[in-house]
Amino acid sequence: MLKQLGKEDFPKVYGIMEQSFPKEERRSYEGQLALMEREGYRLYGVEGPTGVLRGFMAVWERKGYCFLEHFAVS
Protein backbone atom coordinates (compact mmCIF):
# COMPACT_ATOMS: atom_id res chain seq x y z
CA MET A 1 0.00 0.00 0.00
CA LEU A 2 1.28 3.45 -0.92
CA LYS A 3 1.48 5.85 2.01
CA GLN A 4 2.84 9.33 2.62
CA LEU A 5 6.12 9.24 4.51
CA GLY A 6 7.38 11.61 7.19
CA LYS A 7 10.73 12.75 8.53
CA GLU A 8 10.94 9.63 10.68
CA ASP A 9 11.04 7.55 7.49
CA PHE A 10 13.70 9.66 5.80
CA PRO A 11 16.79 7.61 6.84
CA LYS A 12 15.28 4.54 5.13
CA VAL A 13 14.38 6.56 2.04
CA TYR A 14 17.88 8.00 1.77
CA GLY A 15 19.39 4.53 2.13
CA ILE A 16 17.43 3.37 -0.92
CA MET A 17 18.36 6.59 -2.70
CA GLU A 18 22.08 5.99 -2.10
CA GLN A 19 21.79 2.46 -3.50
CA SER A 20 19.77 3.57 -6.52
CA PHE A 21 21.29 6.85 -7.74
CA PRO A 22 24.87 7.93 -8.38
CA LYS A 23 26.17 10.69 -6.13
CA GLU A 24 25.87 13.22 -8.98
CA GLU A 25 22.11 12.59 -9.22
CA ARG A 26 21.17 13.13 -5.59
CA ARG A 27 21.48 15.83 -2.99
CA SER A 28 23.39 15.46 0.24
CA TYR A 29 21.52 13.87 3.13
CA GLU A 30 21.01 17.29 4.72
CA GLY A 31 19.97 18.90 1.46
CA GLN A 32 17.45 16.18 0.68
CA LEU A 33 16.06 16.24 4.22
CA ALA A 34 15.61 20.02 4.04
CA LEU A 35 13.16 19.53 1.15
CA MET A 36 10.74 17.95 3.62
CA GLU A 37 10.06 21.51 4.83
CA ARG A 38 9.25 22.85 1.37
CA GLU A 39 5.67 23.38 0.30
CA GLY A 40 4.52 20.75 -2.17
CA TYR A 41 7.38 18.28 -1.65
CA ARG A 42 6.14 14.82 -0.67
CA LEU A 43 7.60 11.38 -0.14
CA TYR A 44 5.45 8.32 -0.72
CA GLY A 45 6.52 4.79 0.08
CA VAL A 46 5.55 1.16 -0.23
CA GLU A 47 6.23 -1.25 2.60
CA GLY A 48 6.53 -5.00 2.37
CA PRO A 49 4.48 -7.37 4.54
CA THR A 50 6.96 -7.07 7.43
CA GLY A 51 6.87 -3.26 7.41
CA VAL A 52 10.21 -2.86 5.60
CA LEU A 53 10.30 0.05 3.14
CA ARG A 54 10.51 -1.45 -0.36
CA GLY A 55 10.38 1.67 -2.50
CA PHE A 56 9.64 5.36 -2.58
CA MET A 57 8.62 8.25 -4.82
CA ALA A 58 9.72 11.84 -4.22
CA VAL A 59 7.31 14.27 -5.85
CA TRP A 60 6.58 17.94 -6.13
CA GLU A 61 2.83 18.54 -6.04
CA ARG A 62 1.82 21.82 -7.64
CA LYS A 63 -1.46 23.26 -8.76
CA GLY A 64 -2.30 21.54 -12.03
CA TYR A 65 0.57 19.04 -12.11
CA CYS A 66 2.77 16.64 -10.18
CA PHE A 67 6.50 16.27 -10.92
CA LEU A 68 8.08 12.90 -10.03
CA GLU A 69 11.70 13.68 -9.10
CA HIS A 70 12.90 10.33 -7.74
CA PHE A 71 11.48 6.82 -7.92
CA ALA A 72 13.35 3.77 -6.61
CA VAL A 73 12.71 0.31 -5.25
CA SER A 74 14.81 -1.95 -3.10
Side-chain angles (χ1 to χ4, degrees), residues 14-66:
Y14 200 78
I16 295 173
M17 190 176 278
E18 285 181 306
Q19 294 171 2
S20 303
F21 299 100
K23 190 173 186 171
E24 307 81 43
E25 294 182 10
R26 56 183 154 83
R27 295 173 186 85
S28 67
Y29 184 94
E30 296 79 15
Q32 195 72 43
L33 180 61
L35 293 179
M36 299 287 294
E37 302 297 325
R38 301 280 303 269
E39 184 178 342
Y41 184 79
R42 306 277 187 275
L43 290 175
Y44 296 99
V46 175
E47 294 181 344
T50 60
V52 174
L53 186 66
R54 295 292 184 199
F56 77 93
M57 294 185 303
V59 301
W60 291 93
E61 296 177 348
R62 301 287 190 213
K63 186 175 181 177
Y65 72 95
C66 179

